[in-house]
Amino acid sequence: MIRYSARSLFANALSGHKNWPEQWPDAQPKSAYDVVIVGAGGHGLGAAYYLASKYGITNVAVIEKGWLGGGNTGRNTTIIRSNYLYDESARLYDHAVDLWDGLSQELNYNVMFSKRGVLMLAHNVHDVQSFQRHIHANRLNGVDNKWMTPEECKAFCPPLDISSAKRYPVMGGALQQRAGVARHDSVAWGYARAAAKLGVDIIQNCAVTGVRRGADGAVEGVETEKGFIGAKKIGVSAAGNSSIIMNMAGLDFPLESYPLQALVSEPVKPIFPCVVMSNSVHAYISQSDKGELVIGAGTDQYVSYSQRGALHIVEHTLAAICEIFPIFKRMRMLRSWGGVVDVTPDRSCILGRTPVPGLYVNCGWGTGGFKATPGAADLLAYTIAKDEPHPINAPFTLERFTTGRLIDEAAAAAVAH
Amino acid sequence: MMMIECPICNEKRPELEFRYAGEAHIARPENPSALSDDEWAKYLFIRNNPRGTHFERWVHAHGCAKFFNAVRDTVSDKFVMTYKCGEQRPSPETIAERSS
């Protein structure tokens, strides 16, 4: 695999860009691996990459039932931020933001991480009070977050309507300047390429149909559409389908899967300089480098694996967008899609060992897994390599549902669920 | 939008009139204080989350305001049937018959 540089770009330009080699090979499964990761999204591919690069475990396969990055990695609104209320969450998400910072250089692949700032709007007195509490909690944890008056919000994001005659007037906002967006597909591709370069096999179109366990209860490998693949350790990073894989290993998980939708508008010239989230009215919006407005909607209310949601959810979100940004009223929406998000009772992830020896899990990221991609991948790799959770993900293990030490971000994640 | 048959009103109405209320047939333990932590966690947090037939509760919030149970396929989102609270969970044969 060649190293991408100005020199390789120039050399390939001379031959009309017709001789670029494939970015990574499409592998077929070997009979056994040291580690098998289930799910080739950003989290799974990243875990394989960190296993190889940090811990020297290169006999690794990443198995994917569809195509690489075709699940929630390719279905989100690419927002990256770490302004979570609780200490455990702040550490977890800030670890990810730290890794986002140097990711393009590390992977030799431009993930287009753009720290354009995430502005969360407050529309009522309760919002103002809870956001200020968030800001103080964040700053105590070393996470940047600052209060903005309505005028400062308007200066930061000119399309915003801050007139007081609104049904939901803007009463201020919380700005995390270090937050932003990245190119979601590039994250999956970059990790895939970097992992493949270190010897990781990436096997697509190969659904896992069973988890084989030995007489001692430990994992022996996975049954797949392409036959049995032996594995000493299995890491499951299967998002909405995590509980299905866990059932195959005989485990019941505190997860429910819901449809979550997003949509983009027709592309327009640059008009929207940041990311704006408004949890009270359910509006999440940014502008991609292609020019489309990227808009996130809420989850549907019922359990579903259909990868599509109801139109009234989208209508609700667009009504909120038009209310806050009247300038977008005549924009036409181009595409919408749905993903399946796995939600835990406390809206925090589950990242750690399981009761089955050799089986590790990274799931329950709900509606906000993309921002955590490098952090989750790094911590899953650590947990698999060392057979114990890293101090950052130690509070996020499965045991918390039995001990009662929940990390209740349901009401605190600074996002409406 | 999904159309949902309310078994109390005996009418098929749009999803907007209803609120989802979680998995059905989860009985509150008779004697909670006698439960171990594991059993309590199972009751509170563990859910089936199946890929396929799901038993679930709905409330006809903007109608009769009554709770009822439903059988729905979580892959196609199609409702197989709805039935009143307190009635037995439909047998796999009944569900197969109604699905076809």
Side-chain angles (χ1 to χ4, degrees):
Chain A
M1 266 172 260
I2 62 166
R3 186 174 167 74
Y4 295 141
S5 63
R7 194 168 151 268
S8 69
L9 185 64
F10 181 72
N12 278 283
L14 290 178
S15 57
H17 293 298
K18 286 179 183 148
N19 299 316
W20 284 104
E22 62 178 5
Q23 296 200 24
W24 62 85
D26 193 21
Q28 290 306 313
K30 291 191 281 191
S31 61
Y33 293 90
D34 289 341
V35 178
V36 164
I37 306 275
V38 180
H43 288 224
L45 292 164
Y49 166 72
Y50 290 119
L51 275 173
S53 67
K54 280 191 166 178
Y55 306 106
I57 304 171
T58 55
N59 188 19
V60 176
V62 185
I63 303 177
E64 167 61 45
K65 78 174 163 134
W67 66 95
L68 181 156
N72 292 352
T73 298
R75 292 166 187 269
N76 58 76
T77 51
T78 77
I79 298 173
I80 294 163
R81 61 183 179 89
S82 59
N83 50 351
Y84 281 70
L85 179 64
Y86 290 116
D87 297 354
E88 297 89 346
S89 309
R91 270 197 292 277
L92 180 69
Y93 290 101
D94 220 37
H95 177 59
V97 173
D98 286 344
L99 289 171
W100 276 113
D101 254 338
L103 197 61
S104 293
Q105 285 72 26
E106 184 178 352
L107 299 180
N108 182 225
Y109 207 97
N110 191 359
V111 299
M112 296 162 80
F113 177 40
S114 156
K115 287 186 270 189
R116 58 185 68 176
V118 170
L119 180 64
M120 296 184 145
L121 298 178
H123 296 283
N124 51 48
V125 174
H126 173 79
D127 280 356
V128 173
Q129 289 170 345
S130 79
F131 280 21
Q132 296 207 341
R133 180 184 174 214
H134 263 85
I135 290 168
H136 294 312
N138 286 161
R139 294 176 69 160
L140 286 171
N141 274 321
V143 176
D144 76 300
N145 203 354
K146 72 169 182 181
W147 179 254
M148 307 268 279
T149 63
E151 292 72 28
E152 286 171 332
C153 291
K154 174 79 179 168
F156 190 73
C157 182
L160 193 60
D161 182 358
I162 57 165
S163 59
S164 57
K166 291 273 169 194
R167 183 172 175 196
Y168 301 105
V170 174
M171 295 177 72
L175 172 69
Q176 187 178 21
Q177 185 70 65
R178 201 164 150 250
V181 292
R183 168 103 167 88
H184 50 359
D185 292 330
S186 283
V187 178
W189 298 336
Y191 272 128
R193 182 169 173 275
K197 196 172 183 178
L198 295 170
V200 172
D201 281 354
I202 298 161
I203 302 152
Q204 304 180 75
N205 298 309
C206 180
V208 168
T209 53
V211 176
R212 194 186 287 180
R213 294 171 63 184
D216 58 349
V219 297
E220 289 186 336
V222 286
E223 309 280 356
T224 75
E225 288 175 338
K226 297 185 178 178
F228 176 74
I229 303 172
K232 291 178 197 144
K233 292 178 176 179
I234 300 171
V236 176
S237 194
N241 287 296
S242 295
S243 59
I244 306 295
I245 307 280
M246 286 300 143
N247 287 345
M248 292 174 187
L251 295 174
D252 292 324
F253 253 58
L255 287 175
E256 287 197 299
S257 299
Y258 296 94
L260 178 67
Q261 296 179 86
L263 58 155
V264 294
S265 72
E266 56 192 340
V268 289
K269 286 184 178 176
I271 183 169
F272 206 80
C274 58
V275 182
V276 170
M277 303 177 59
S278 173
N279 308 319
S280 299
V281 297
H282 266 210
Y284 312 93
I285 180 168
S286 63
Q287 188 175 21
S288 73
D289 291 339
K290 279 191 286 183
E292 303 151 325
L293 296 178
V294 182
I295 298 168
T299 56
D300 277 279
Q301 44 179 346
Y302 46 82
V303 167
S304 174
Y305 289 85
S306 62
Q307 286 195 323
R308 60 174 185 236
L311 188 63
H312 65 89
I313 305 282
V314 170
E315 271 186 317
H316 176 75
T317 295
L318 289 176
I321 298 285
C322 292
E323 163 87 3
I324 311 171
F325 306 102
I327 190 175
F328 294 144
K329 268 189 180 161
R330 287 163 61 200
M331 292 281 282
R332 283 165 295 191
M333 294 300 132
L334 207 59
R335 293 179 286 125
S336 74
W337 60 91
V340 182
V341 297
D342 45 329
V343 178
T344 58
D346 62 356
R347 268 64 176 172
S348 291
C349 69
I350 302 171
L351 179 44
R353 289 187 299 193
T354 68
V356 175
L359 185 65
Y360 305 84
V361 71
N362 167 41
C363 67
W365 288 95
T367 57
F370 178 74
K371 65 173 80 72
T373 302
D378 181 41
L379 297 169
L380 178 60
Y382 181 100
T383 307
I384 292 173
K386 310 269 184 188
D387 192 33
E388 63 176 11
H390 188 278
I392 294 176
N393 66 306
F396 292 91
T397 54
L398 186 59
E399 290 79 35
R400 74 176 188 272
F401 296 101
T402 312
T403 61
R405 267 200 85 81
L406 303 182
I407 302 161
D408 191 6
E409 289 290 356
V415 66
H417 285 283
Chain B
M1 184 173 308
M2 300 196 297
M3 298 294 283
I4 304 174
E5 169 104 31
C6 172
I8 291 110
C9 302
N10 280 320
E11 271 197 70
K12 214 168 213 187
R13 306 292 297 171
E15 183 201 334
L16 284 182
E17 290 190 9
F18 299 83
R19 291 296 295 172
Y20 179 70
E23 192 176 332
H25 301 294
I26 297 177
R28 188 176 168 82
E30 300 264 327
N31 185 5
S33 55
L35 257 52
S36 69
D37 286 353
D38 278 335
E39 288 166 328
W40 189 237
K42 191 169 180 346
Y43 162 68
L44 282 181
F45 301 128
I46 303 293
R47 295 293 176 265
N48 258 328
N49 199 26
R51 211 185 150 89
T53 305
H54 190 231
F55 299 90
E56 59 196 23
R57 300 195 311 155
W58 287 80
V59 55
H60 195 177
H62 301 290
C64 61
K66 297 280 200 307
F67 281 82
F68 61 90
N69 292 336
V71 183
R72 187 175 53 89
D73 186 299
T74 59
V75 178
S76 65
D77 284 344
K78 278 195 179 140
F79 277 86
V80 177
M81 58 189 291
T82 57
Y83 53 102
K84 289 179 186 164
C85 280
E87 286 177 18
Q88 283 291 314
R89 182 195 296 245
S91 66
E93 294 78 34
T94 316
I95 293 167
E97 192 183 307
R98 294 286 189 99
S99 308
S100 56

